[in-house]
Structures are given as C-alpha cells and as structure tokens.
Amino acid sequence: MTPFKLAVAFGALSAASHAMAWDYVLLDTNKPAQNWSITSEQLGLKTDKPFSVSLRTLHGGRQEGVSIVDIDNGTMKLSVVPTRGMNVLQASVGNVRMGWDSPVKEVVNPAFIELNGRGGLGWLEGFNELVTRCGYEWVGHPGIDNGEMLTLHGRAANIPASTVTLHIDEKPPYAISLRGELKEQAFKKVDFSVVTELVTEPGTAHFALNDTLTNNGDYPKEYQALYHSNFSTPFLEQGARFAAPVKQVSPFNDKAKAELADWQTYRGPTKDYDETVYNVVPYADSKGETLTVLHNKAGSLGVSVGFNTQQLPVFSLWKNTDTQGQGYVTGLEPGTSFSYNRRYQRPLNLVPTIAPKASQQFQISYSLLADKGAVDNALKRVSEIQAGRETEVRQAPLVDLTEH
C-alpha cells in the first residue's frame, strides 16, 4: 500500500497536537480485512528506533476471524484487538511483559461469547487482555437494575470496531496513532459511539489511550466507564506493592475488609485465595492528573497508570492472587464508577449522565518503569500529588451487598 499524506488533526500523546500524518484505513465495514504491514523504512524514515505496524487475522478455535494490530515502536511491542473493543492484548519491552496469563488462551471472537451466560458472567470467557474497556452503558457486577439484567462490565470489550485507521506523524518523534470506532446501539435503548485511540512514540516504553464517548441520541443517557488494566509477573509477586495518592480507601466487601491492613501489598500465588477488591478515591494535582504505581518487592521494576480524575474520578484495585493456572493477576482500574452493580452506584453519585449529542473524553497513560530510578521517580510523583494530605481508611464497605 502506497502511503499518502493528509493534513489531519492528529491527536498524539497530547490531544492538542496537530501534525501532518500518513493515513491508512486498516479495517472498515465496507471492505474485506486483509493482512497488511508498514515499516519506518518503507516510509523512508531514518530513525534511531525503526518501527513497524502490521494487521493479521487469527484462525482456528474460538479466535476464528479475530483481527490483531501489532505495533513495534522499536522499544515496546503492542498488540491491539479491533475485534474485541480495541482492547490492548499485551505489551512488552524485551523479555518484560505487561499483561498476564489467563486460563483463556485464545483471543476469543465475541461471536462465540454469550454475555448472559453463567448468570451474567459470560464476559469472563474472553477475558485475557492487558487493557479491557468496560462500559459504556454500564459497568460492574451482574444483576438486575430497573428491571433489566446487566451483565458483567458491559458490552464494550466485545464490540468489534467498525473502522480502524492508522496515523503516523511525518515529523519527529513520528507518533503512531491507532484509532477505532465502537458502536453501542440498541433501538429504544442506547446510541453511543466511542472513538478509541492508542498512541505511542518510537523508542518509548509508553502508550496512551485517548477515548471519546458520544451520545448520538436525542435524550440524556446514563453511562459508566472502567479501564480494567491487568498485570502479573514480573511486577506482581510476594511483597509487591501498590502506590497512589489516596484520599479514601474502602473494602469492596467483607472478604476485602478482613485484609484491609494489607491492601497495598501482595501475596505470592495462593491456592483458594480467589480475589479481593478495594475502592479508592485518589487525590490529584491542580489539573486533575493522578498516578498509580505497581512495583515488585525490590522496587526495581514497575508499571504506572496515569489518568485524570475529572474524567475518571475513582479507582478499583483488584487483587486476584490465586494460583498461576487460575490467573495470578492484579487489576489497576480507573473509572467513573466502582465495580458494584449499577443500582448500588447511583446513591454513591457514580452513575453520570451524558447529554444528547455531547461527548466525554477518557485519557489514560501506561508506562513501563524499567529500573529502580524510574520506579523511584514515579513514587516521588505519587508523593508530590499526595502532598501530605491524609488518607481516610473506611473500615466498612460502601455498599451492603446483602440488601436486595
């Protein structure tokens, strides 16, 4: 495919960035999918870190027909799944992987998933990604709300992108932007579109998500969003730690309440552990920016997840330190809401409304912290945002889950 140049408003790591870019349509509802690739060399770019982007299609089993976009920015390798809500399947730098090992080994085509199955937990049959979009009509545990059965964490992760486009900035640092549009629509019920964007720059160990939700309907509509960001070894281990500027923390349920004193530290793989979840309200700086960090016991390797609390005001920490085979993983999850069923979150003022034709942005950044210096710098930033302010530790869950 021959590159052609377009003057486009190109949202790079900063949404305000504008640049000339090479522009490609990778997938569209009116064109067949086909394997494709482009490299910095083919574009005539002489960069310190050569990069490439490719599109491939998976075959066999329940991953039949799934499209994968692989981005190698010269330092970090990323895989994005247009067929599954533009989720980020995995990212790696050398032999260090950001992601986890789910019992779900295939990249499951949503056509083979019944979200209403398993009592509303059918979503779990495809859950294995590094970043899984949850929403946007609702998030949280399955259950009845206003007479309607809501399945686990909404539909977004199982909506194939209608269009996928690639943009490569033709000026240094040659930012790479992959965009996809998700349509969450049902007659009489909802008319949402979500323009997703993943941006990375050649030679960096960093990527960002810039998503825009639009209510195309003629009526105000409730929405929720949660970015289920999942990590395992080598960051997660016995003695690993979570750090954030915390205004308030509370246990999700009674099981989490019993371990509240150790909510920021992790166990090694523990048989029959299952999971615990903590509800976090983070502090932010004057612009609403905040940072969360997961690092290994030695503090020599970690990851950070940054977001804006004006867009995503709360955070869930999911600790699933069960056996390796069961899925040894922790989730760092910024959101508009916690993981309770939607009916429990209205009294918490965590079910926002979006006006007709209005849009809402969600911006999240992910970085590999490759050494102790990088971890220390991230922890220093967390401390700066905390700025000595107190953390309220609530002993009781915010919601009484025994009430129906």
Side-chain angles (χ1 to χ4, degrees):
M1 185 180 295
T2 302
F4 57 95
K5 300 178 181 181
L6 295 178
V8 295
F10 174 59
L13 295 179
S14 166
S17 175
H18 293 76
M20 296 287 290
W22 286 282
D23 217 50
Y24 304 91
V25 177
L26 303 189
L27 294 170
D28 203 333
T29 52
N30 62 8
K31 63 177 285 188
Q34 54 186 341
N35 291 353
W36 178 89
S37 65
I38 195 74
T39 68
S40 52
E41 184 179 17
Q42 288 172 318
L43 294 172
L45 300 177
K46 295 180 179 179
T47 61
D48 292 336
K49 296 286 187 177
F51 61 85
S52 65
V53 182
S54 61
L55 170 68
R56 57 191 167 102
T57 304
L58 304 181
H59 298 287
R62 296 201 302 159
Q63 61 185 19
E64 180 64 40
V66 169
S67 296
I68 302 279
V69 177
D70 295 309
I71 301 172
D72 183 346
N73 75 9
T75 294
M76 175 176 277
K77 295 180 179 179
L78 294 145
S79 294
V80 179
V81 192
T83 315
R84 292 185 49 80
M86 298 296 290
N87 291 340
V88 184
L89 180 63
Q90 58 190 5
S92 62
V93 175
N95 62 358
V96 177
R97 181 189 58 157
M98 299 164 68
W100 62 296
D101 293 315
S102 170
V104 179
K105 302 305 181 188
E106 296 179 333
V107 186
V108 181
N109 193 316
F112 299 108
I113 290 178
E114 175 52 63
L115 294 177
N116 285 309
R118 302 180 183 273
L121 294 173
W123 183 91
L124 296 173
E125 294 192 7
F127 179 50
N128 61 7
E129 296 104 337
L130 165 61
V131 184
T132 304
R133 288 179 171 84
C134 302
Y136 285 86
E137 197 176 357
W138 71 81
V139 301
H141 285 193
I144 302 296
D145 178 40
N146 290 334
E148 182 180 9
M149 174 62 186
L150 305 184
T151 58
L152 179 64
H153 282 325
R155 301 189 189 93
N158 290 280
I159 298 176
S162 299
T163 58
V164 179
T165 56
L166 173 68
H167 310 262
I168 301 173
D169 195 336
E170 63 175 80
K171 293 184 179 179
Y174 307 115
I176 301 163
S177 173
L178 183 71
R179 297 175 185 164
E181 183 179 20
L182 313 179
K183 295 181 179 179
E184 186 172 6
Q185 298 168 325
F187 179 61
K188 295 282 190 183
K189 296 295 184 180
V190 64
D191 188 2
F192 285 168
S193 60
V194 184
V195 175
T196 72
E197 181 182 58
L198 180 146
V199 184
T200 188
E201 292 180 354
T204 66
H206 174 93
F207 68 93
L209 303 181
N210 305 316
D211 293 354
T212 304
L213 166 69
T214 300
N215 177 11
N216 301 303
D218 294 331
Y219 298 91
K221 181 68 179 175
E222 291 180 335
Y223 73 94
Q224 293 180 291
L226 182 146
Y227 287 79
H228 214 301
S229 312
N230 308 297
F231 306 92
S232 185
T233 54
F235 317 103
L236 185 61
E237 62 180 359
Q238 172 73 39
R241 289 191 62 87
F242 168 79
V246 179
K247 181 176 183 180
Q248 181 192 96
V249 61
S250 62
F252 184 83
N253 55 18
D254 287 340
K255 182 178 187 299
K257 178 181 177 180
E259 298 185 23
L260 184 58
D262 300 316
W263 79 273
Q264 288 181 277
T265 59
Y266 290 91
R267 302 184 184 200
T270 305
K271 189 173 177 60
D272 296 324
Y273 180 82
D274 195 21
E275 63 182 0
T276 52
V277 179
Y278 295 92
N279 305 320
V280 177
V281 180
Y283 282 117
D285 67 15
S286 61
K287 296 180 180 179
E289 299 295 332
T290 194
L291 190 70
T292 63
V293 176
L294 169 70
H295 65 78
N296 64 0
K297 182 178 181 179
S300 58
L301 188 67
V303 290
S304 66
V305 179
F307 55 100
N308 191 293
T309 59
Q310 295 167 12
Q311 302 169 347
L312 301 164
V314 297
F315 181 92
S316 299
L317 182 66
W318 175 55
K319 300 168 70 175
N320 194 90
T321 49
D322 211 312
T323 64
Q324 289 281 3
Q326 183 76 0
Y328 180 65
V329 60
T330 186
L332 279 56
E333 307 170 19
T336 61
S337 317
F338 296 127
S339 288
Y340 298 110
N341 183 272
R342 188 173 64 185
R343 73 178 186 269
Y344 292 118
Q345 303 212 59
R346 286 193 193 89
L348 302 176
N349 293 317
L350 294 178
V351 185
T353 298
I354 184 168
K357 315 305 179 187
S359 295
Q360 175 65 43
Q361 283 196 313
F362 309 106
Q363 297 167 307
I364 309 99
S365 62
Y366 298 85
S367 296
L368 174 69
L369 308 174
D371 53 39
K372 189 175 187 304
V375 172
D376 287 348
N377 285 338
L379 293 176
K380 180 182 177 183
R381 176 64 178 147
V382 167
S383 180
E384 288 171 351
I385 297 171
Q386 185 85 35
R389 291 177 286 186
E390 290 188 2
T391 296
E392 178 192 2
V393 180
R394 294 180 59 117
Q395 299 297 318
L398 297 171
V399 168
D400 183 357
L401 295 173
T402 63
E403 294 183 357
H404 296 283

